[in-house]
Amino acid sequence: MEEKKYEHYDAQNIQILEGLEAVRKRPGMYIGTTGPAGLHHLVWEIVDNSIDEALAGFAKHIEVEILKDNIISVTDDGRGMPVDIHPKTGRSALETIFTVLHAGGKFDGNSYKVSGGLHGVGASVVNALSEWLEVTVSRNGKQYYQRYERGKVMCDVTESGVSEHTGSRVVFKADPLMFVETTTYSYEILRDRIQQLAFLNKGIKLTIKDSRNEEVVENVYYYEGGIRQYVEYLNNGKKLVSPKIIYCDDEKDNIQVEIALQYNDTYSSLIYSFTNNIHTHEGGTHEEGFRLALTRCIKNYANANNLLKKDEEITNEDVREGLVAIISIKHPNPQFEGQTKTKLGNTEVRAIVSQCLGEVLDRHFLENPNEAKAIIEKCLLASRARVAARRAREATRRKSPLDNLLFASKLADCRCKDPSKSELYIVEGDSAGGSAKSGRESEYQAILPLRGKVLNVQKVRLERALSNNEIVSLIQAIGTGIGEEFDISKARYHKIVIMTDADVDGEHICILLLTFFFRFMPELIEKGYIYVAKPPLYKAQVGKVVRYAYSDEELEAFKKEFPERKPDVQRYKGLGEMDPEQLWETTMDPALRTLVQVHLQDAMIAGQTFEMLMGEDVDPRKNFIQENAHYANNLDI
Ligand code: TSJ
């Protein structure tokens, strides 16, 4: 009885799909998506093979070219793919690689096949999803050629000429029937990853070329120093705490460990880890081993040299401030775990990385005592800041009704106690604050006037931000707490509206506030609680007709309605110029106002953007605000 059931189950439900038809039937199963990510994935699937050939010591140069019509060409100067006839199948090895699923590895003695990693699905999947694909191999003094269309062999492997060099070249056109959304490649995406691959694989020259347009664009990447130069690149323009890059390049139990790190004088850290060239976003055992060694070695050195005062302690967290590090390991059998399968799970890696890096760090500190001291001094600053921040956080928490009185003078709270119906207006300046307080609907609108410029939180630590009165009243008003104690469920308002003048100063304050939320309370943005109010630029009046214009275009349109007459136009230089009724009508009345919700695309982009926001450059910051807050184009930030 049991057995019957199983037979039935097998026959009915398990459909064994064979060959490349399966790939075309369900492309998502093989490349994740047929959107832009999947399209670009085709390129990496091919390039990975050339990288393997380079890691095996045979290829020196890999060239990726986007040809007209979004055709991709990948060329390397390796040994050339094998073309001999397989005794069992009677087919050429080359043909097998392109027509049999997962056939790639069989011909490969190299144990660090990057293509065997995260998505490694093999060249046959690319072939199946290409309208056509052509391969040319130079080997044995000859040139061999084969062409496929939608995975189907068009001709036997043919000798197409002679050749004095060796190498492989694959040219393919992604099938628009499969990639319905788009078959257009982004040069930026390809260039970025090619550069990263060059950093991660020292000594390999990688070229990326865009020949789609009249003007051909080309970038060549070659880094003899590998990830040391990656760290240098990430630290470019920053002030360094430790001028020498600490570098570890070792191998244990067939696992290659390569790490480069350096401290700058900022308060954030950039730690990128890779396994077989795959970015392990979620970290894993290699990152754990890294942190273990770093904390251990720094603490040991500090203790051995009596650099810690009584009660001082350096933690895991303290050694990260200002740290830029690349951790790149190559593993013959990586286990990827986690939500997005980008977390390394192999448990043996932790101790191996910790040991390899530990040896290098101990030695580096011993040989460079001044650098060691500078790093430890930096960690101690972080440690003291951490302790001070905890104290300051405790102080900002609302403990008793008395605390409420402290800030009640500034905050004009609303009567309503239901956060989902309550709004907090953060208003620049006392005079605008006054108008807002008089003009508001006090049942559900609270007003918090801020004086002067809010501290630029990009450049300061939490503890200094917390010593700023404006910031403290803001945190108290919102009610969520901050940092580790942040609790979104305690938010006292589900709409927090930044209302500043429509001029450069106003925009600047707006940026500072957004940066503050971004850095210390990102969940508020993620939850969609943060808004920017859009006050009008002009009040135009013709006789009894009054109109507020939020842009120059709107003003022009209004003027056109009265070609005969010249309207009386008032340009608002600041919110303070509006009387309470006008402020209510134009900017606060839910029925008439325009609020722009601030949102971040996703947490990942947020992290990167934060780095950009942290930088000294003002322009990228402005662009970010423009793009993310979907500001009106009339605001000249
Ligand atoms: F597979 C593929 F089509 F995706 C592809 C493979 C695409 C490109 C552009 C290059 C390659 C590739 C494969 N480059 N180099 C190699 N090397 C081998 O396949 C190879 C050659 C010789 C030997 C040998 O033992 O003699 C072994 C291998 C794996």
Side-chain angles (χ1 to χ4, degrees), residues 103-123:
K106 284 183 193 157
F107 305 92
D108 203 329
N110 170 23
S111 59
Y112 303 127
K113 249 187 105 52
V114 283
S115 42
L118 187 55
H119 296 292
V121 287

Side-chain angles (χ1 to χ4, degrees), residues 251-353:
E251 179 176 336
K252 277 204 170 68
D253 301 340
N254 211 20
I255 297 164
Q256 271 183 31
V257 178
E258 204 187 348
I259 297 167
L261 64 111
Q262 189 178 42
Y263 282 90
N264 61 45
D265 77 339
T266 70
Y267 307 120
S268 57
S269 71
L270 283 179
I271 303 171
Y272 294 147
S273 69
F274 299 85
T275 299
N276 296 357
N277 289 334
I278 295 157
H279 185 185
T280 29
H281 288 278
E282 296 169 283
T285 49
H286 49 349
E287 278 195 28
E288 288 162 24
F290 169 87
R291 278 200 293 275
L292 282 172
L294 190 65
T295 313
R296 181 183 70 235
C297 293
I298 287 180
K299 279 171 100 159
N300 282 350
Y301 188 90
N303 283 323
N305 294 278
N306 296 317
L307 298 172
L308 298 186
K309 294 204 191 77
K310 203 169 141 269
D311 290 341
E312 277 187 332
E313 194 197 10
I314 293 175
T315 68
N316 223 326
E317 227 180 291
D318 303 330
V319 303
R320 292 169 61 98
E321 256 195 32
L323 176 65
V324 169
I326 301 293
I327 305 154
S328 172
I329 74 152
K330 304 251 163 74
H331 195 293
N333 179 33
Q335 301 299 312
F336 292 105
E337 303 172 345
Q339 289 244 301
T340 54
K341 290 267 174 283
T342 55
K343 181 177 182 182
L344 185 67
N346 304 63
T347 49
E348 75 281 9
V349 170
R350 193 182 299 111
I352 290 176
V353 169

